[in-house]
Amino acid sequence: MSKTRDFWNIFVFNSFHLTSKTIICIFIVAIVWGTTFLGIKIGVETVPPWFVAGLRQFLAAIILFPILLFKKELKWIGWKKLSIQMTLSTLMLIGANGLTTVAEKDLTSSLTSLISALSPVFIFIGSMIIGMEKFTFRTLIGLLMGLFGVVFIFWDGINDLANPDYRNGLLILLLAILCWGGGTIYTKKLHSENNNLFLNLFYQFAFAGVVQLIFAFTFSEEINVAKWSAQSISAIVYLAVFGSVTAFFAYHYLLKTLLPTQVSILSYVNTIISIFLSWLILGETISAKFILATAFIICGVFVINYKPGMLKFRTKQS
């Protein structure tokens, strides 16, 4: 009886402690970031991957510029802080986001989102290596569940690894996940206050956009803007406006009003939404083994990252 009451409190009663703004931000982060893999896949259909990534970040910086100007928050942050933002931009935007975009040229949207869901596992392992986390029996269970999920992914498609494009796509995606993990751990190690997150993001977006556009002009096999479809261009604009700027605003607000562990729950929702939309809109095949792999990976990541009170969905006290 007490378990039933706790379940009701978590999913119904505690929702009344949330403001309408918090609920809107939850939906924005869950849904918008769940559509980014779909947006990337549509973008790279006719636009070279580095152009998709570079234009996305550069447009995000352009959007933030007048906002910061209007709020009189646009200023020079100094060389030391700039080097930190450039490091974060290199790892999180150029490395993680950029390489994921490149990988998705040869991988399905659903597979990319599912493998990317393993990033918290890599983050935990990296944190454990440098002494920020401790290995426990629960960790072992979570890692084994994630491993079983990976096995189910490639159970029927092991022969696909003979395809060099598919194989290279997986290797690039793995490198992207490692970059995201490195950036996350680097952020944790900084222990610095984010006095103006969006000013920092402006510098990150601008730096990443310029570097990725240089990569685009350097490494793209063919640059023919006439072949870029309206759908791909619209996807890039969507990724910039919603995937980068709007979702980051919402994510920042949630970090101020909810506990970080509670916000992390949304990453599981992102994966499910992404896989569903890949099936619904792109017509990607989702087999029973793929669904089972999704369940194993999401549960494994949840077990590894579970913290007491994680599901008690209440806002922070001011």
Side-chain angles (χ1 to χ4, degrees), residues 71-87:
K71 297 175 67 177
K72 297 181 180 180
E73 294 178 354
L74 186 64
K75 61 182 179 180
W76 172 245
I77 58 176
W79 290 108
K80 183 178 180 180
K81 290 183 178 179
L82 179 64
S83 65
I84 292 175
Q85 301 311 316
M86 290 174 67
T87 300

Side-chain angles (χ1 to χ4, degrees), residues 114 149 153 271-272 275 289-299:
L114 180 56
I153 290 176
T271 303
I272 295 172
I275 292 173
K289 286 188 175 69
F290 193 92
I291 295 175
L292 194 58
T294 303
F296 268 115
I297 289 175
I298 290 178
C299 290

Side-chain angles (χ1 to χ4, degrees), residues 17 34 52 54 98 107 118 148 176 206 238 250-251 270 279-280 316:
H17 292 271
V52 173
L107 302 176
L118 287 167
F148 280 126
Y238 173 83
Y251 183 72
N270 297 157
W279 166 79
L280 180 67
K316 293 178 182 176

Side-chain angles (χ1 to χ4, degrees), residues 5-19 23 258 262 311-315:
R5 189 184 304 115
D6 290 341
F7 179 88
W8 180 261
N9 286 339
I10 290 170
F11 290 98
V12 180
F13 177 74
N14 285 324
S15 64
F16 291 106
H17 292 271
L18 304 179
T19 64
I23 294 173
L258 301 177
Q262 294 171 337
L311 297 177
K312 294 182 179 179
F313 209 54
R314 295 188 178 94
T315 54

